Structures are given as structure tokens and as C-alpha cells.
């Protein structure tokens, strides 16, 4: 009885926040409100004063367009903290913004999604950056587990579930059963790597240098891993490497497919490797239940069909795949006692309702 009253009082006095701390985008879920923030993980810093100029979408617009004294940076590389101070500033901005419309007295409990296989040092960096911004308790969950919970898969049941989370900096492949990850692999082949593949291909084939934002727009507009019924084309602008002058050219879906083919093949091989080391009973579950695709990479045209054709198992692309991890963090907060077993244990973790 007292426990229920304490939980209810805790809900009145503080906010519970779920954060998908991604390389490309950071999403914030607030208990009782759903996803309240979806911003690019970019921070613009004035190097003369050390002050943060912009965070999120506003800072992303500055990428590649800043004067010498302003630098637009991504503080997360491969899903982990590469610039601690800038990450702190970004989290402070996001938490302040999420709590702007609330009048709570206690700091929030925060669940943060991180890539599978993250080291203790990297976990500590995420925890410290979040704690330093007023969180009274920080809980870490691996992103494939959070994503599986976010799309309502039965992660606590004695049945095998396979999930592939293709984000901006990392792709996480995991097989889950009984509230734990049975087999997993995290690799750096994800959205950012595909963008670099496109930049390298355009430079090599057309002798034109394009920016990362242009490459990303090209990938989203006409990127596919299987030939579409009709040819897709897009016009892009860049700098001619021979003349040094601006140049516009038309690129087809065939060009993008060739550019990303090697990385997509490596991704599929990694999925095969995880399957090859998975216990046979769980493999049989995966064969009948299928593989679930989440993350921004799930939106690449033809990828579910190519995976299904190659692996000989059903492949399901989740609804709204980019928000799966944030929704999972939110579900953990809503039903903490049921899902606390999926969290990464930390020796200094506070009790859930202290």
C-alpha cells in the first residue's frame, strides 16, 4: 500500500523521461505525453566564447555553412559520447525543453537507450552527462531491447525474437528471449556510413564533391537496394574537382544502389553471422515469427524484401521505425516493475522510486 502511494506521489512530484540518444537524431519521451522532442543530434558552438549557439534542427542547418569561429558538431559518434561537454549541453537543452511546461519538484528519472555492446566507460559517460543535468536516477537500456519493447514484442516471454536496428551511427542486430539478449552484434554500417559511401561514389565516378547533407537527401529521395519498377533520378549540386567550379548533375537510383551495395552486403552478412550462432530452438522461433526492422535504415526502399529473399525468413518493417527506441524507453517508464530486468545494471543506480 505504502509503495503504491509512494509511486503515485513520485509521479506527481517528478517527470519521467525516456531518451533515444542517437548519432543522427535524439528523441525524448515524456511519461504521460509521448514523444515531445525529435531533434538532430547536432550542436553549434562559438569557439571564441565557448557558448552553445544552437541545438538540434537549427544547428543542423548550419552544418557546412558556418564561419571559422562557429563549429557545428555531432557530439555522438557511433552512438557513443565523443565530446562529453557538448553532449552535456545538448542533454541540458533537451531536458529543459521537455520539462518547460511542467511544475515538478524532483529531478526526473531518465531511461537512456545506448547501442548494444557498449563499454563500461562509454556507459559511464552517458550516465554522467545525464546525471549532471538534474536527473535523480539514470537507467541504461540497450537500443535493440528498447526498440523491441517499443514495437510491442514479447521480450519477457520464453520465445525468440530477432530485431535489426539500423540507426545513424550504428546498426544493432540482436536476438532476444526471456528479457535478455541471447546473441547480438553492433556494427558501424548505418546511415552515416551509407552517406559517406554516396559521397565517395559521386567523387570517384563524376569527379564532383558533395556535402553530407546532400548525400543524405539523395539517399532518402532515390536510395534503394532493389531495382524499382521505374528509374528514379535526382538533381544534385556540388563542386567540380577538376575545374573547382560549381556543377549540377543528375544521379539515378542505380548510382546510389552501386554506392551502398558493399555496405548493405556487409550488413546482411552480419545478420547471417548472428543467426549462425543462435541456439536452434530460437532460430525456429525466428523462422516462424520473422525478423523485425527498426531505425531510419528500415525506410531504405527494398531492404525488407532483400533481407527476406537472402535469409529465407519473414521480415517485418515496424510502423514508425525511427521512434521505436524512444517509445520503448517510455514503455519501460510506464511499467517499470515489469521491465526493470532488461536494464543494464549499474552499481550506483538509485532505487526506482527513491
Amino acid at each position: 500500500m505504502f509503495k503504491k502511494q509512494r509511486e503515485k506521489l513520485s509521479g506527481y512530484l517528478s517527470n519521467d523521461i525516456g531518451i533515444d540518444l542517437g548519432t543522427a537524431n535524439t528523441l525524448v519521451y515524456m511519461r504521460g505525453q509521448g514523444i515531445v522532442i525529435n531533434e538532430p543530434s547536432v550542436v553549434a558552438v562559438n569557439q571564441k566564447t565557448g557558448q552553445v549557439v544552437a541545438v538540434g534542427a537549427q544547428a543542423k542547418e548550419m552544418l557546412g555553412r558556418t564561419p571559422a569561429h562557429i563549429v557545428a558538431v555531432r557530439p555522438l559518434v557511433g552512438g557513443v559520447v565523443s565530446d562529453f561537454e557538448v553532449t552535456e549541453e545538448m542533454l541540458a537543452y533537451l531536458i529543459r525543453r521537455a520539462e518547460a511546461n511542467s511544475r515538478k519538484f524532483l529531478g526526473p528519472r531518465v531511461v537512456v537507450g545506448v547501442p548494444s555492446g557498449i563499454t563500461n566507460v562509454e556507459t559511464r559517460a552517458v550516465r554522467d552527462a545525464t546525471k549532471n543535468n538534474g536527473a535523480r536516477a539514470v537507467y541504461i537500456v540497450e537500443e535493440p531491447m528498447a526498440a523491441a519493447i517499443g514495437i510491442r514484442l514479447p521480450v519477457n516471454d520464453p520465445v525468440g525474437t530477432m530485431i535489426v536496428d539500423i540507426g545513424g551511427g550504428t546498426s544493432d542486430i540482436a536476438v532476444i528471449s526471456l528479457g535478455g539478449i541471447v546473441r547480438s552484434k553492433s556494427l558501424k554500417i548505418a546511415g552515416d556510413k551509407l552517406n559517406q559511401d554516396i559521397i565517395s561514389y559521386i567523387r570517384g565516378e563524376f569527379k564532383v564533391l558533395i556535402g553530407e547533407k546532400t548525400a543524405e537527401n539523395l539517399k532518402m529521395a532515390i536510395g534503394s537496394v532493389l531495382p524499382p519498377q521505374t528509374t528514379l533520378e535526382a538533381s544534385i549540386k556540388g563542386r567540380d574537382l577538376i575545374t573547382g567550379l560549381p556543377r549540377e548533375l543528375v544521379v539515378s537510383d542505380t548510382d546510389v544502389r552501386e554506392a551502398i551495395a558493399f555496405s548493405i552486403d556487409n550488413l546482411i552478412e552480419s545478420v547471417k553471422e548472428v543467426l549462425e550462432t543462435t541456439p536452434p530452438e530460437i532460430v525456429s522461433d525466428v523462422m516462424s515469427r520473422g525478423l523485425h526492422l527498426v531505425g531510419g535504415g528500415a525506410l531504405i526502399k527494398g531492404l525488407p524484401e532483400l533481407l527476406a529473399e537472402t535469409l529465407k525468413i519473414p521480415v517485418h518493417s515496424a510502423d514508425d521505425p525511427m521512434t521505436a527506441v524512444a517509445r520503448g524507453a517510455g514503455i519501460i517508464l510506464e511499467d517499470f516493475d515489469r521491465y526493470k530486468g532488461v536494464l543494464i545494471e549499474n552499481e550506483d543506480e538509485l532505487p526506482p522510486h527513491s
Side-chain angles (χ1 to χ4, degrees):
M1 178 180 174
F2 290 113
K3 181 182 177 184
K4 287 184 178 179
Q5 288 178 339
R6 188 168 67 249
E7 289 178 8
K8 190 176 181 181
L9 183 62
S10 176
Y12 286 131
L13 297 178
S14 71
N15 297 302
D16 289 339
I17 295 175
I19 299 177
D20 173 11
L21 201 59
T23 306
N25 293 284
T26 296
L27 287 79
V28 178
Y29 177 104
M30 182 162 280
R31 186 176 180 182
Q33 297 182 41
I35 294 172
V36 293
I37 295 174
N38 184 350
E39 293 271 10
S41 302
V42 184
V43 180
V45 181
N46 186 326
Q47 290 189 313
K48 289 181 180 178
T49 63
Q51 290 182 324
V52 172
V53 178
V55 178
Q58 192 179 356
K60 188 176 182 181
E61 289 296 319
M62 299 180 184
L63 278 173
R65 296 188 174 101
T66 57
H69 67 284
I70 294 178
V71 181
V73 295
R74 287 185 164 183
L76 296 143
V77 176
V80 297
V81 176
S82 63
D83 190 321
F84 185 82
E85 290 181 358
V86 177
T87 301
E88 266 198 328
E89 293 282 357
M90 185 177 76
L91 283 169
Y93 165 82
L94 293 171
I95 291 173
R96 276 199 311 269
R97 209 177 121 191
E99 295 189 299
N101 298 322
S102 63
R103 296 178 181 177
K104 305 289 185 175
F105 304 112
L106 298 177
R109 289 186 306 156
V110 182
V111 172
V112 185
V114 297
S116 62
I118 190 172
T119 66
N120 289 335
V121 173
E122 292 163 345
T123 302
R124 176 66 56 189
V126 172
R127 283 176 53 76
D128 289 349
T130 310
K131 265 285 184 65
N132 292 346
N133 286 295
R136 66 188 170 96
V138 181
Y139 306 99
I140 306 294
V141 61
E142 290 175 295
E143 285 174 354
M145 178 65 78
I149 294 169
I151 61 174
R152 302 288 182 177
L153 296 178
V155 297
N156 286 326
D157 294 352
V159 71
T161 298
M162 188 169 195
I163 192 157
V164 178
D165 179 6
I166 307 171
T170 59
S171 289
D172 287 312
I173 305 158
V175 177
I176 297 166
S177 180
L178 283 171
I181 293 178
V182 180
R183 294 287 184 275
S184 70
K185 185 172 184 179
S186 183
L187 58 156
K188 304 295 184 187
I189 296 170
D192 288 348
K193 176 65 168 66
L194 299 183
N195 293 344
Q196 290 302 320
D197 290 342
I198 292 169
I199 291 170
S200 298
Y201 182 87
I202 299 296
R203 185 173 59 224
E205 290 292 316
F206 299 99
K207 302 297 184 286
V208 171
L209 183 63
I210 61 172
E212 190 174 333
K213 191 174 178 182
T214 301
E216 185 176 3
N217 291 339
L218 190 61
K219 177 185 70 180
M220 292 167 66
I222 63 172
S224 66
V225 295
L226 291 175
Q229 293 181 344
T230 56
T231 301
L232 302 174
E233 292 183 339
S235 176
I236 59 171
K237 299 179 180 72
R239 187 174 76 235
D240 192 307
L241 291 171
I242 297 172
T243 65
L245 299 174
R247 181 179 158 196
E248 185 173 355
L249 69 150
V250 175
V251 178
S252 71
D253 61 276
T254 304
D255 295 318
V256 178
R257 195 158 47 253
E258 287 181 16
I260 65 176
F262 183 72
S263 292
I264 294 295
D265 285 345
N266 282 341
L267 176 64
I268 293 173
E269 284 302 316
S270 296
V271 177
K272 285 182 180 177
E273 286 175 24
V274 173
L275 275 172
E276 285 167 3
T277 58
T278 301
E281 290 294 339
I282 293 180
V283 170
S284 67
D285 290 338
V286 173
M287 286 183 68
S288 58
R289 298 170 58 81
L291 177 153
H292 298 268
L293 266 182
V294 297
L299 300 173
I300 298 173
K301 300 177 187 72
L303 184 58
E305 292 80 5
L306 180 62
L307 280 167
E309 182 183 318
T310 308
L311 302 173
K312 310 301 181 190
I313 59 175
V315 175
H316 311 289
S317 185
D319 295 330
D320 198 6
M322 294 183 71
T323 65
V325 174
R327 284 184 282 136
I331 292 169
I332 292 169
L333 289 167
E334 300 283 356
D335 197 353
F336 194 90
D337 289 336
R338 181 181 177 188
Y339 290 110
K340 62 185 177 184
V342 308
L343 301 169
I344 297 175
E345 291 297 327
N346 295 291
E347 65 276 4
D348 63 340
E349 201 168 63
L350 294 175
H353 298 290
S354 61

